[in-house]
Amino acid sequence: MRVELTKYRVKEGKSKLVDEWIEYMHNHMDDVLMNLEGEKMFVETIFREAFNDVEYLYWYSVQDDNQSEDNVSKTDLDEKHLDYWEKCIDKTFRPEDMKAEIVMIPERIRRAMKYNND
């Protein structure tokens, strides 16, 4: 099981477009959840922060160790997501990967994740 948290900076002036992106994902949640299944992603959460007039998005995920790009099909949702990504995420900022010091997931939940993913 892989647990990740990564910080990305939003391009200046793109806050309204991030609002639109988040709303799009909320409005297409059934498709989003189907994509997560195909990606062997158990949990994916996006956090948003504004600090010193700079906006950041944090991606938190819990996923299968054996996740493979080969298993991921490209959908209209993926294309739309990548379009928002290109327009909103500042590529001049190096993403910050946080280090998970401890992962607290009860064993019964871990087993359920593994069982449902085999």
Side-chain angles (χ1 to χ4, degrees):
M1 183 176 314
R2 202 166 67 214
V3 178
E4 299 175 333
L5 174 62
T6 305
K7 177 181 181 179
Y8 300 93
R9 185 168 62 194
V10 174
K11 291 178 183 175
E12 189 174 337
K14 297 298 181 180
S15 188
K16 294 269 190 233
L17 193 57
V18 170
D19 292 341
E20 182 182 307
W21 185 6
I22 299 298
E23 182 178 351
Y24 177 83
M25 290 177 36
H26 277 290
N27 291 339
H28 295 86
M29 189 56 66
D30 289 344
D31 294 331
V32 168
L33 295 175
M34 280 182 28
N35 274 16
L36 294 183
E37 290 281 338
E39 295 171 1
K40 296 185 176 184
M41 185 83 62
F42 305 127
V43 176
E44 186 171 24
T45 306
I46 301 169
F47 293 88
R48 192 173 186 179
E49 173 190 44
F51 182 73
N52 290 334
D53 296 324
V54 180
E55 189 169 5
Y56 299 92
L57 296 177
Y58 296 77
W59 253 260
Y60 169 79
S61 65
V62 179
Q63 54 197 294
D64 190 287
D65 279 331
N66 300 317
Q67 179 195 25
S68 167
E69 290 297 319
D70 298 337
N71 296 339
V72 179
S73 62
K74 299 298 179 205
T75 64
D76 290 340
L77 181 82
D78 293 318
E79 289 179 28
K80 187 79 168 167
H81 175 69
L82 290 174
D83 184 48
Y84 279 119
W85 183 275
E86 292 296 320
K87 291 176 181 173
C88 296
I89 300 301
D90 184 350
K91 291 187 178 141
T92 66
F93 176 81
R94 185 175 180 194
E96 292 183 40
D97 292 320
M98 310 296 166
K99 181 181 177 195
E101 294 290 338
I102 186 168
V103 176
M104 296 172 279
I105 301 174
E107 188 57 38
R108 67 183 174 80
I109 303 300
R110 287 177 188 255
R111 280 193 310 270
M113 289 176 175
K114 182 174 175 25
Y115 172 77
N116 288 326
N117 221 10
D118 286 340

